[in-house]
Amino acid sequence: MKLDSREPTGPIEERWDKHRFDMKLVNPANKRKFDVIVVGSGLAGASAAATLAELGYNVRCFCYQDSPRRAHSIAAQGGINSAKNYPNDGDSVFRLFYDTVKGGDYRSRESNVYRLSQVSLNIIDQAVGQGVPFAREYGGLLANRSFGGAQVSRTFYARGQTGQQLLLGAYQALARQIDAGKVKMYTRTEMLDVVLVDGHARGIITRNLVDGTIERHAGDAVLLATGGYSNVFYLSTNAMGCNVTAAYRAYKKGAAFANPCYTQIHPTCIPVKGSYQSKLTLMSESLRNDGRVWVPKKAGDMRPANQIPEDERDYYLERKYPSFGNLVPRDVASRNAKYVCDENRGVQGGQQVYLDFRDAINRVGAEAVKAKYGNLFHMYQKITAENPYEVPMRIFPAPHYTMGGLWVDYNLMSNIPGLHVLGEANFSDHGSNRLGASALMQGLADGYFVIPYTLGHYLATAKQPKVNTDHPEFGAAEEAVRGRIGKLLSNNGSETVDSFHRRLGRIMWNHCGMSRTAEGLTSAIEEIKELREEFWNNVSVTGSEGSFNSVLERAGRVADFLEFGELMCRDALTRNESCGGHFREEFQTEEGEAKRDDESYAHVAAWEYTGDDSEPVRHTEALDFEYVKLTQRSYK
């Protein structure tokens, strides 16, 4: 397997412009001859489908939700980054580029990150033109706030529902093309395999989730925009439907999976309450602008927050990181929350810390705080029955975003020609830790401003003949899908799918979560193998194939998680360093910070599938840092 990044050369600020000019174009009249398949309707998928259709391509867009508006992008709360420097506080394209590379602990590709920073300027204008109701200052200018890992205010926001508003903007663009007949939308439809013809991605196999129909779809290119895989942990901030299936099936067809162990633990989530929970709720990182994180100084202090005097509170992020304070990056904030709880200083003796708005309310008043965060406070109170205007929020880290994903080159194409991967489903921009408010930025950058150029170049140069669904490769792929479904349904086991998923989640959280060790990862690999064997012998999948069957849906996704979880652990075990969200306890500084090994691991690890009964092969892509000097990260 050859990993050619296709990075352009020359001054970094000129690379994307030069690359766009050098790429081949498709004549406007010829675009209507090409059929493009887009899987996923979140920010990356919806923006790509809408833009490509507006250019003239024939687009088919697929999502498993009942509407594109239900994509998980809708759950993003705090904001979207852009280097517009409206507050005039020293921001620039280069500073956003620098912060992103540093925040990712120097494990991302410089060319991709700089391009992301460049096109971030266009995203805000695009969204405003679509009517996204960003917050504004008194004079009418767009407002900005700060997020972790930066010392400037570059995050645009719509209260605590930025993802929802941006997705509605992209959805309106998509709906316009659906109405124009340029996009055919398939809702409640799940991709179960990708079809390769002569080594190129030429279609997909899907299952209609309403009536169970297995369908074939052929095209000239396939775009995966299917999000991340944090649901491998069972308890995460992801929607229950989020899964790895589309990306993993592409991996099993030959697509390299890059850095699967790079997962982000978000520091600001409502803590686990009981074993009955099926997901966790995020509290936006934007809350750390005004909320102060603290725990009691004394171990085992069980007093309510309002009874603990100021001099007995440890504002540990402000104490340890005076330059960034509560706005350190997510991996740093999460690890430090774990440290204080390991010292038995967690709130009420539990796995939780305080996020306190007392000082902000005293400073600017409750109404001003409500104007910024009111819907988040309302959500917190509905879930916990506690009023955060009167008592501090209780928070703790939880699985959130995944920086790993299918390997892509500078053109967002995987090592399988014609298979492009956008947004969270690819690995390209965030290294080993994503800065807050950059997920929305990447999804829209990929969909609106990158793939329309790079896909055109592929279609203009690939010169593949047209294929239809009668091709033997479609038949073979459909047969494999039916065989897998049949195997699940014929299993007369006694244990539920969710039970296996929950058990897998515990293994992953304990051994491949916030901290990892060689011993724990080795144990996890064996435990997952045993659990996977038990799953195929004892899982209970009720119902039939040719009907609505949510148990069958979940069973297929959990079966993929049971294989993918092992790949995650293998990746973490072979990376003998700590970087960003990948924290190996054996590799840390005296102060408990991540300790990288740039000489041995300044590369992307991309895994090649070699069969169910053989170990995957690890390939590497070297990372060169020409513009951001490799240094030990410090936020002090």
Side-chain angles (χ1 to χ4, degrees):
M1 179 183 289
K2 183 181 179 182
L3 300 177
D4 181 2
S5 69
R6 294 185 175 87
E7 283 183 88
T9 56
I12 197 166
E13 64 274 8
E14 298 175 8
R15 289 179 186 176
W16 175 231
D17 290 338
K18 182 178 183 300
H19 190 70
R20 281 191 301 177
F21 181 78
D22 290 342
M23 284 189 290
K24 301 298 183 183
L25 301 175
V26 178
N27 182 294
N30 288 337
K31 288 187 172 74
R32 66 178 69 99
K33 299 177 182 178
F34 291 105
D35 300 310
V36 180
I37 292 171
V38 179
V39 185
S41 66
L43 287 180
S47 59
T51 306
L52 293 171
E54 192 157 355
L55 286 171
Y57 297 105
N58 302 307
V59 178
R60 274 168 287 169
C61 186
F62 298 81
C63 70
Y64 62 76
Q65 296 91 348
D66 55 5
S67 166
R69 293 177 297 170
R70 302 273 297 188
H72 188 59
S73 300
I74 204 169
Q77 295 172 348
I80 176 171
N81 287 330
S82 178
K84 281 188 169 291
N85 193 32
Y86 283 173
N88 198 30
D89 57 358
D91 202 9
S92 64
V93 168
F94 193 90
R95 188 176 294 278
L96 175 54
F97 159 68
Y98 173 85
D99 287 345
T100 304
V101 172
K102 177 184 175 183
D105 218 350
Y106 305 91
R107 290 296 177 260
S108 50
R109 201 187 280 151
E110 278 193 337
S111 295
N112 288 64
V113 177
Y114 195 90
R115 177 178 63 188
L116 175 66
S117 303
Q118 278 180 298
V119 303
S120 74
L121 304 175
N122 301 329
I123 294 171
I124 303 305
D125 298 334
Q126 172 92 0
V128 169
Q130 292 173 332
V132 174
F134 286 122
R136 294 180 180 267
E137 304 289 0
Y138 178 78
L141 296 176
L142 294 180
N144 288 108
R145 59 188 176 198
S146 300
F147 257 63
Q151 291 179 303
V152 297
S153 294
R154 64 164 65 104
T155 304
F156 295 77
Y157 62 98
R159 297 188 77 185
Q161 49 184 244
T162 314
Q164 176 178 340
Q165 298 302 328
L166 288 169
L167 185 60
L168 287 172
Y171 172 71
Q172 289 175 103
L174 175 62
R176 179 169 176 263
Q177 297 305 316
I178 294 171
D179 184 66
K182 294 301 294 180
V183 175
K184 186 172 182 181
M185 190 73 219
Y186 295 81
T187 59
R188 294 187 174 184
T189 303
E190 183 170 26
M191 173 191 148
L192 294 181
D193 209 350
V194 62
V195 180
L196 307 187
V197 177
D198 297 328
H200 289 247
R202 300 305 303 274
I204 60 174
I205 305 297
T206 64
R207 179 175 182 269
N208 185 309
L209 299 181
V210 177
D211 60 20
T213 305
I214 305 296
E215 298 172 331
R216 308 176 185 183
H217 300 273
D220 295 291
V222 176
L223 278 57
L224 297 186
T226 51
Y229 48 83
S230 269
N231 266 353
V232 69
F233 293 99
Y234 185 69
L235 286 178
S236 77
T237 66
N238 284 191
M240 287 298 292
C242 293
N243 61 81
V244 76
T245 289
Y248 193 71
R249 301 294 170 85
Y251 161 74
K252 295 185 80 169
K253 281 295 181 72
F257 211 112
N259 303 331
C261 78
Y262 284 172
T263 56
Q264 180 170 79
I265 310 300
H266 197 292
T268 318
C269 300
I270 298 178
V272 177
K273 185 68 175 177
S275 60
Y276 58 84
Q277 281 185 256
S278 57
K279 77 176 302 294
L280 297 173
T281 302
L282 175 70
M283 287 284 103
S284 169
E285 181 177 310
S286 65
L287 294 170
R288 288 195 276 142
N289 273 284
D290 289 299
R292 301 179 70 191
V293 180
W294 65 275
V295 292
K297 288 182 177 179
K298 181 182 176 182
D301 193 335
M302 302 294 287
R303 289 175 293 174
N306 293 339
Q307 294 181 17
I308 301 177
E310 185 71 14
D311 61 354
E312 295 182 34
R313 301 180 177 194
D314 180 13
Y315 297 93
Y316 57 89
L317 292 179
E318 298 172 33
R319 171 174 55 82
K320 294 179 69 173
Y321 308 97
S323 291
F324 283 74
N326 294 298
L327 287 175
V328 291
R330 292 175 175 179
D331 61 320
V332 177
S334 293
R335 273 197 299 277
N336 278 275
K338 180 181 185 298
Y339 291 157
V340 294
C341 289
D342 289 347
E343 296 169 356
N344 194 30
R345 293 198 289 141
V347 170
Q348 299 293 307
Q351 297 289 299
Q352 50 193 356
V353 301
Y354 283 130
L355 182 61
D356 195 342
F357 289 85
R358 181 192 65 179
D359 292 346
I361 291 172
N362 290 339
R363 184 176 67 251
V364 300
E367 287 303 312
V369 171
K370 184 176 181 180
K372 282 186 177 180
Y373 313 114
N375 62 313
L376 297 170
F377 278 42
H378 177 74
M379 182 166 64
Y380 180 88
Q381 187 168 2
K382 283 289 186 182
I383 292 171
T384 65
E386 296 176 3
N387 184 348
Y389 294 100
E390 299 175 358
V391 296
M393 289 183 177
R394 292 174 295 108
I395 59 167
F396 195 69
H400 179 54
Y401 188 87
T402 52
M403 289 74 67
L406 291 178
W407 182 90
V408 293
D409 62 17
Y410 189 70
N411 292 339
L412 302 184
M413 189 165 73
S414 73
N415 57 296
I416 296 177
L419 181 66
H420 297 74
V421 191
L422 284 66
E424 189 178 359
N426 76 33
F427 88 101
S428 66
D429 293 346
H430 305 300
S432 56
N433 175 61
R434 177 178 66 84
L435 292 186
S438 288
L440 304 183
M441 177 174 64
Q442 186 209 349
L444 292 177
D446 288 355
Y448 282 137
F449 301 113
V450 179
I451 199 65
Y453 297 97
T454 61
L455 178 65
H457 176 74
Y458 166 75
L459 295 173
T461 56
K463 301 189 184 302
Q464 292 293 301
K466 285 287 184 180
V467 299
N468 59 41
T469 56
D470 293 331
H471 193 283
E473 292 292 351
F474 281 86
E478 180 181 336
E479 184 178 354
V481 166
R482 290 188 182 277
R484 186 178 178 86
I485 290 173
K487 186 178 179 181
L488 286 168
L489 288 170
S490 63
N491 217 326
N492 297 315
S494 59
E495 190 169 338
T496 66
V497 173
D498 287 350
S499 173
F500 281 103
H501 194 181
R502 187 180 291 109
R503 290 165 62 188
L504 172 66
R506 281 198 293 267
I507 295 171
M508 295 301 297
W509 178 249
N510 290 338
H511 299 305
C512 198
M514 248 196 294
S515 63
R516 297 114 187 240
T517 65
E519 180 182 4
L521 291 165
T522 302
S523 173
I525 291 170
E526 295 306 313
E527 289 180 49
I528 293 171
K529 286 180 179 178
E530 294 173 5
L531 184 63
R532 186 165 64 243
E533 183 177 355
E534 184 182 346
F535 173 87
W536 285 108
N537 288 325
N538 196 38
V539 70
S540 173
V541 183
T542 55
S544 62
E545 174 185 340
S547 64
F548 176 79
N549 190 341
S550 60
V551 177
L552 177 60
E553 291 172 38
R554 295 198 303 276
R557 297 165 188 169
V558 172
D560 288 326
F561 275 141
L562 282 164
E563 295 183 23
F564 179 69
E566 182 180 334
L567 183 66
M568 286 177 62
C569 293
R570 286 187 183 278
D571 187 44
L573 183 60
T574 56
R575 187 170 284 277
N576 293 318
E577 66 165 354
S578 292
C579 56
H582 168 64
F583 191 76
R584 284 280 298 273
E585 292 182 15
E586 305 96 325
F587 307 101
Q588 56 181 301
T589 67
E590 292 181 359
E591 297 175 319
E593 306 292 350
K595 186 176 182 180
R596 299 193 320 270
D597 179 354
D598 295 328
E599 185 175 338
S600 302
Y601 294 100
H603 60 237
V604 177
W607 294 85
E608 178 187 5
Y609 174 76
T610 58
D612 289 339
D613 299 321
S614 57
E615 294 186 4
V617 176
R618 187 179 190 267
H619 302 272
T620 61
E621 175 203 338
L623 294 171
D624 298 316
F625 294 92
E626 182 181 355
Y627 290 88
V628 182
K629 184 180 178 182
L630 283 163
T631 58
Q632 177 67 36
R633 273 199 312 171
S634 174
Y635 294 95
K636 294 183 181 299

